Every structure is written in structure tokens, then in C-alpha cells.
Amino acid sequence: MMASWSLRILALLILSYLALPLIVIIGASLTTTSFLTFPPRGLTFDWYEVVLTNSAYLSAFATSAWLALWATVIAVLLAVPAALAIARYEFPGRAFLSSLLLSSLVLPHLVLGAALLQFGSMIGLTRNFTALLVGHVVIVTPYVLRTVLPLLSADQKTLEDASCDLGASGLATFRYVTLPQIRPGLLSGSLFAFITSFINVELSIFNTTSEINTIPVLLFTYVEYSIDPTIAAVSAATIVAAVIAVVVIDLVVGLDFFSDRGGR
Amino acid sequence: MKSAPAVVAGLVALPTAFFLAFFLVPLAVVALASLTSGEGDVTFTHYARVLFDSYHWSILGVTFRLGLYTTVICLVLGYPLAWYLVRMVEWRLWRRVCVILIILPLFTSNIVRSFGWMILLGRRGLVNSWLVDFGLVDRPVRFIGTETGILIGLVYILLPFVVLTIGNALAKIDVSYEQASADLGAGAMSTFWHVTLPLSIPGAVSGAILVFALAVSAYVTPALLSGGQVTVLPMLIFQQYSSVFDFHYGGALAITLLAFTLAMIGLASLVGRMGAR
């Protein structure tokens, strides 16, 4: 059928539109010229070597990685107890707690960054690692909460009760009954949290300095002034890391969400 | 065994304290600053300045126009792509690859993705060389520094959200409705217009509202692709906080954006709930 084929071609065009900038960045990072061009002229990994000897990039990379790691760990420590309370108990303020913890998901990060800068300047918490960290914890906690919460189902509560009745302590029950149940959500939620922190610009940009900077903010400031192939090399490296992360998540939880067709 | 209230208090104390201290209180501080003058008197002058001044009207106009165009284009491109993925792709592995391709941009920084478009849309970028080669234009078109350039970047950044929400809505539609429509003699087109499309509209609308809210609050993409020629509301907010240091006026701008986004999200969840009924 004609319509069917034109739809197929349209879909492939839109998919190429989604892939194009990523391919262009990876291609441009391999050019032998000192300016950015696509298709690349020649083929070299020199720009990656330049990146690996650039201390600004390396320290920003370390900051971003530490920040994402700490933010994720703290987010898990905040989100898992909150998820347990929300899923297992009826208490006043339960709805308030869940919207308090989830709403940073939909608020503009720029507004949150501005708010934390203003509040931080009142309490002396600006432009350092901790100032960055608290903001990142706020934006990544919802990801962990959202993936863990659905796994704390009611029938699993029965298992926990049984474990308690059989004399297991609260902690032992958590370790041997609850944790295995929420592990997939914890894993994918943590990965989402880590990545969300790692790629953030809007929130971090208020509290970064030339001494303490994250990779995306550093790229942002570089791009505003000049464009050279090292920026493409760093960007390409983050794209490759993202591909790996998406494939890992796909293998762990499965991203094939469109396959459950109703009525089959 | 400890009593339930004690257990709950133990579980929620830290998360609540953290989010009150570093989320709710900071936002309250901004709201308060937006309503006070430098001397601490209560005033609405900052909001009056935002809402009744032609400079701000033009910035709000650009911001909303870009948001609206982004949303419409995302819907027009997102619906066929979602349809293709849910209804036409038979090979599971290929669908998986497509889904990864759609999700991948969400895992890369806005800065990286916008940077890709800076390379592509430059005067001597790939897009211009294609346009000239195919004879569509005589001279290279200026994209960077125009609303068109920002629009291309925003659509690119936000398209995955629409494809995912519409795709989920399409996947949930019970095919027996369509079979019934076909059994009753309706053609494929008629079934689509009268059965499938109406059933998928709540998903499309909530996706569209989400995209609109994200588009008007986007900072990185407009900042990079505007080349300093176009200003949108988030750029104005950032200026106030990072270089002008006017927390009162900046606060009024931030609260305006926040209130608008919240209203949009509320609307989206309302539509979503109506669709679930």
C-alpha cells in the first residue's frame, strides 16, 4: 500500500533526524583539521589524546563523576525509606511527602538552581561541591523513588509480615525479603539518577566556578566562546557512555515498552 | 516491635527534612524575594514590571511562540513515528534499536545535543551544503541566531517525550475496537479517524502539554543556538541571577515561569486522568 510505504519512509527520516547530531559529533571529533567539520577530513584520535592531557577537562570529569555518584547514593538512602513509608503505611502527610519528593521532576531546573543559589548565599552554601551536591540530590531522588515505589506491591507485604512473624528482625526482613524485590527498580532508578546528575547544566551552572566545574557546564562555557574538535571529542565520549548505559538498562529492565498491545 | 508511627517517623524524617531545607524553603525564599523591595517592603512592582512592560512582552512572546511551534511540530512528527513503532514494526530487534535511538538523546546532555546542531546548522554546515547542493537555496541560510535555529534544536530535544507518550497510548488501545470497526464495514482510514485517533488523543495531549512546559523552560538550547540574537525567558532569569544579581526582579521572573509550568503540568495530569477513565 502506498500510504504504508510513505509512512515507513517518513518514520525513517524522523529517526535519522534523531540520530544525525549524534553521528555528526562523533564524526567531527575524528577530523584531522583544527576546526570542526563534517564529514571529517582524515581520521585521527588525536583530539581524544588532547582531552586526556587537558587538566580542566580531567578535573571537570572527576567532579561530575563524584557528584553523580554521591548524589545517587544519597538519593537511594533518602528514597528507599520514603518509598517504604509511602507504600506500607497510612500516615498524615503521606500525599504531601510523595509530591514533595517527586515534584522536582517537573519543575524547571533553572528555577531550582536560582533558588538554591539565593538560599545558599543566605546560609553560606554556594559555589562549592556541597552546594552542587544538595541540588543534584533534589533532582535525582524522584527517579529512584519512582522506580522503587511500584515494586513495593501489596502481596509482597504479606511476605514481609510472614518474615516478621517467623522472628526475623526488621533489618533482616529488609535485607532478605524487601531488597531482592526492589532490586531491579533500584538498579535502573540509580542509573537514571546518575545520568541525570552527570548531564545536568541548568542546575549546576549557578554554583560552578573555574576551580570546581562539571563536564556539561565546562562544555557549555567553552562552546559559547569557541568551537574546536576537543569539544566534539568530549561530547562523543559522553554519547558513547550514554549508548552503553541505555543498552545496559535495556538488558536489565527491557525498554521494549511498545510491545504490550491490548487485546492480544 | 516498634509502633507504626515511630517506624514511619524514622523512615520519613531524613527525606522530609532534606527536601524541606533544600527544595521547599529555597523556593519560598525566591517567592518572598519576588514580593519584596530591596528594603524589605512588600511590593508587586517586580511582577508589574514583568507583566506590563513591552520589552518583557516581546520576550514572553518569543518564548511562547517557540514553545507553541515546538509542540505542534513535535506532535506532527511524533505521531507518525510512534505509529510506525507500535503498529508497523514487526521485527522486535529493530523496534528495540529504534526505542534505544529515541531514548539515547535523553541520556546525553542538552549541551552535547545542541552542540551537534551548532555544527550542522552553521553557515558551512551540512544542512546548508545540502540545501545549496539540491538547489533549494542560492546562498547559505542563517540558522544560528534565529528562531528557526532554536526551533530545530528544541524539536530535536523534545521529540522523544512525544513519541514515548503517544507510543504508550497507542500500545494500550485494545485492537478489538478496530476489528469491530472493520467488521462493521469501515475502511482503514475511517477506522483511524473515528476510532484509533480519538482513543490516542489523551496521550497526545498530555505529551504535548509536557513538551510545551519543557520548551518554555529550556535554557541551554536557546542560549547556544540564539548566538546572542534571541532572548527567551529562561535566559533572562539566568542573567538576573548570574550577572545582574537582582534577586527580587529575577525572583518575579522565576516565579512567573514556575507558576506557568505548574499550571501546564496540572492541566496535563487532568487530561491524563480523563483519558484513563
Side-chain angles (χ1 to χ4, degrees):
Chain A
M1 214 172 108
M2 267 297 284
S4 151
W5 275 105
S6 44
L7 192 58
R8 266 170 216 275
I9 290 164
L10 180 66
L12 291 179
L13 281 175
I14 302 170
L15 283 170
S16 357
Y17 167 68
L18 285 173
L20 191 62
L22 304 180
I23 293 167
V24 165
I25 288 172
I26 294 174
S29 74
L30 301 173
T31 187
T32 51
T33 54
S34 62
F35 54 91
L36 272 178
T37 174
F38 187 88
R41 302 202 192 138
L43 193 72
T44 175
F45 282 97
D46 286 356
W47 298 110
Y48 290 85
E49 219 179 295
V50 174
V51 169
L52 287 175
T53 51
N54 178 319
S55 64
Y57 277 131
L58 290 182
S59 88
F61 181 81
T63 308
S64 283
W66 269 115
L67 190 59
L69 188 68
W70 275 108
T72 306
V73 169
I74 298 173
V76 167
L77 293 177
L78 294 177
V80 172
L84 281 170
I86 291 167
R88 293 280 179 265
Y89 300 94
E90 233 358 287
F91 57 94
R94 181 164 160 268
F96 170 76
L97 179 69
S98 86
S99 48
L100 178 68
L101 299 190
L102 287 173
S103 49
S104 70
L105 212 52
V106 295
L107 293 188
H109 287 171
L110 191 78
V111 171
L112 193 60
L116 281 168
L117 176 73
Q118 191 178 351
F119 177 66
S121 62
M122 292 163 75
I123 61 166
L125 184 66
T126 52
R127 301 184 194 278
N128 58 38
F129 188 81
T130 317
L132 287 168
L133 182 59
V134 293
H136 280 236
V137 170
V138 169
I139 61 161
V140 306
T141 302
Y143 288 92
V144 183
L145 186 60
R146 219 175 40 162
T147 50
V148 167
L149 212 44
L151 296 176
L152 291 164
S153 57
D155 48 317
Q156 202 221 318
K157 169 103 171 72
T158 326
L159 278 176
E160 286 168 17
D161 291 343
S163 161
C164 282
D165 290 347
L166 292 168
S169 68
L171 218 57
T173 301
F174 178 78
R175 166 78 182 78
Y176 294 106
V177 181
T178 317
L179 193 59
Q181 290 287 332
I182 61 171
R183 189 170 286 142
L186 209 52
L187 204 66
S188 59
S190 304
L191 205 50
F192 273 113
F194 187 91
I195 291 160
T196 305
S197 163
F198 200 86
I199 68 177
N200 182 276
V201 176
E202 277 100 338
L203 183 70
S204 307
I205 198 164
F206 290 95
N207 271 316
T208 46
T209 64
S210 50
E211 280 82 44
I212 182 149
N213 212 337
T214 66
I215 276 283
V217 176
L218 187 70
L219 286 176
F220 184 72
T221 41
Y222 280 4
V223 167
E224 279 191 307
Y225 296 106
S226 71
I227 294 184
D228 72 65
T230 61
I231 300 173
V234 175
S235 302
T238 68
I239 294 168
V240 173
V243 173
I244 295 170
V246 177
V247 171
V248 167
I249 291 186
D250 183 36
L251 293 176
V252 173
V253 289
L255 288 172
D256 198 6
F257 12 45
F258 299 146
S259 57
D260 61 316
R261 290 274 298 275
R264 273 205 191 150
Chain B
M1 210 178 128
K2 276 184 279 183
S3 68
V7 174
V8 170
L11 289 173
V12 305
L14 265 179
T16 312
F18 191 94
F19 271 74
L20 284 178
F22 298 114
F23 180 65
L24 213 54
V25 171
L27 288 176
V29 166
V30 173
L32 209 63
S34 75
L35 287 168
T36 51
S37 67
E39 288 78 42
D41 305 320
V42 175
T43 172
F44 289 99
T45 47
H46 311 298
Y47 286 100
R49 197 173 151 198
V50 174
L51 297 174
F52 301 115
D53 161 305
S54 63
Y55 171 65
H56 291 95
W57 272 107
S58 75
I59 287 178
L60 289 173
V62 172
T63 311
F64 284 73
R65 187 162 61 233
L66 281 171
L68 194 66
Y69 290 169
T70 303
T71 310
V72 172
I73 298 173
C74 277
L75 278 178
V76 170
L77 297 180
Y79 203 99
L81 184 55
W83 182 274
Y84 169 78
L85 290 175
V86 176
R87 295 298 174 92
M88 296 176 80
V89 175
E90 271 134 31
W91 193 22
R92 286 181 76 101
L93 186 66
W94 172 239
R95 177 160 55 212
R96 254 179 128 119
V97 171
C98 291
V99 169
I100 287 176
L101 199 58
I102 288 164
I103 293 195
L104 183 63
L106 301 175
F107 280 53
T108 31
S109 186
N110 282 350
I111 155 81
V112 170
R113 291 185 280 161
S114 310
F115 174 58
W117 283 108
M118 289 176 78
I119 306 176
L120 275 163
L121 294 176
R123 194 157 275 278
R124 271 183 277 176
L126 202 57
V127 171
N128 263 320
S129 66
W130 279 344
L131 287 177
V132 173
D133 287 351
F134 285 113
L136 292 171
V137 293
D138 300 328
R139 288 175 288 129
V141 182
R142 198 171 74 111
F143 287 109
I144 308 288
T146 66
E147 286 183 32
T148 314
I150 300 177
L151 190 61
I152 294 173
L154 282 176
V155 168
Y156 171 71
I157 301 260
L158 298 173
L159 187 59
F161 291 100
V162 182
V163 178
L164 293 177
T165 47
I166 296 180
N168 278 325
L170 285 175
K172 282 201 190 90
I173 293 174
D174 193 331
V175 285
S176 58
Y177 289 124
E178 291 163 1
Q179 283 157 1
S181 166
D183 289 347
L184 292 169
M189 263 321 201
S190 167
T191 300
F192 173 75
W193 283 110
H194 297 290
V195 179
T196 321
L197 186 65
L199 284 171
S200 63
I201 277 180
V205 171
S206 67
I209 296 172
L210 181 70
V211 162
F212 189 69
L214 289 170
V216 297
S217 59
Y219 169 71
V220 173
T221 309
L224 288 182
L225 296 174
S226 70
Q229 308 288 312
V230 184
T231 307
V232 293
L233 182 57
M235 289 162 73
L236 196 61
I237 295 176
F238 182 68
Q239 263 171 30
Q240 293 307 313
Y241 277 88
S242 67
S243 46
V244 184
F245 298 110
D246 187 343
F247 288 170
H248 301 284
Y249 165 56
L253 290 169
I255 295 295
T256 306
L257 181 62
L258 187 65
F260 178 76
T261 321
L262 285 181
M264 282 286 136
I265 301 292
L267 196 62
S269 75
L270 199 69
V271 172
R273 242 176 288 147
M274 275 160 59
R277 237 181 253 154

